[in-house]
Structure formats: C-alpha cells, structure tokens
Amino acid sequence: MVTHIVFWNLKEAPEAERAASARKMKELLEGLVGRVPGLLSAGVHQNFTPGGYDLCLVSQLTDRAALEAYQVHPAHLEVKKFVHSVVCQRAAVDYEE
C-alpha cells in the first residue's frame, strides 16, 4: 500500500473565500475515491496550528502503479485545475508500507 500526502497553503484572500476554497478542495479530492482505480481513501484536513501548511490530503492507494495512474487520471487532472487556482505552495510525501 502507498500513502500519498500533499500539503498546501491557500492563496491570500478574504477568510470566507479561503474557507470556501478549502471546502471545495475537500469535496473534489475526497470525491475521487471510487472514480479513480486504485485510490482506496482520501481525506482533506485543515491545520489548526499557526505557521504550518493550511491543508493536507492523506490518501492511500493500492501500489505505486496506482499512484502513477492517479496522477494522470482525467478526473484527478480536472480537480488539479481548481486546486492550482487557489493554492500558492505545495509539498508532498509518498511512502510505501
């Protein structure tokens, strides 16, 4: 099993807009489960600690091949368009168990 974790900072915007962006990211990314083969789970979470990243995605996939397929899956690419429109920083970690 592969765990794929992504951290983001949202672009500067009024708080209500940032909150709406975070909710939409959560809805879109978690909605990929069942649509992308090999994507077993996905959860988007907001950070409450000042100074850290604003949001993170914690997802699990069956294996490395599923992660590679996820990255180019049309449904994921559509979601990425929105995500890239509202974030300014990104970091990722992938590991196998």
Side-chain angles (χ1 to χ4, degrees), residues 2 67 89:
V2 169
L67 176 60
Q89 258 183 321

Side-chain angles (χ1 to χ4, degrees), residues 19-82:
S21 293
R23 283 191 304 272
K24 186 168 182 180
M25 285 177 64
K26 179 177 180 65
E27 175 188 325
L28 292 173
L29 287 161
E30 291 178 0
L32 293 173
V33 176
R35 294 178 61 204
V36 177
L39 178 61
L40 303 173
S41 66
V44 175
H45 311 281
Q46 287 191 274
N47 182 15
F48 60 81
T49 304
Y53 282 92
D54 296 323
L55 298 168
C56 74
L57 164 70
V58 180
S59 56
Q60 293 191 316
L61 298 102
T62 53
D63 53 27
R64 288 184 185 198
L67 176 60
E68 291 171 15
Y70 165 79
Q71 294 297 346
V72 297
H73 190 281
H76 180 242
L77 294 176
E78 272 302 308
V79 171
K80 281 177 71 172
K81 287 179 188 176
F82 174 75

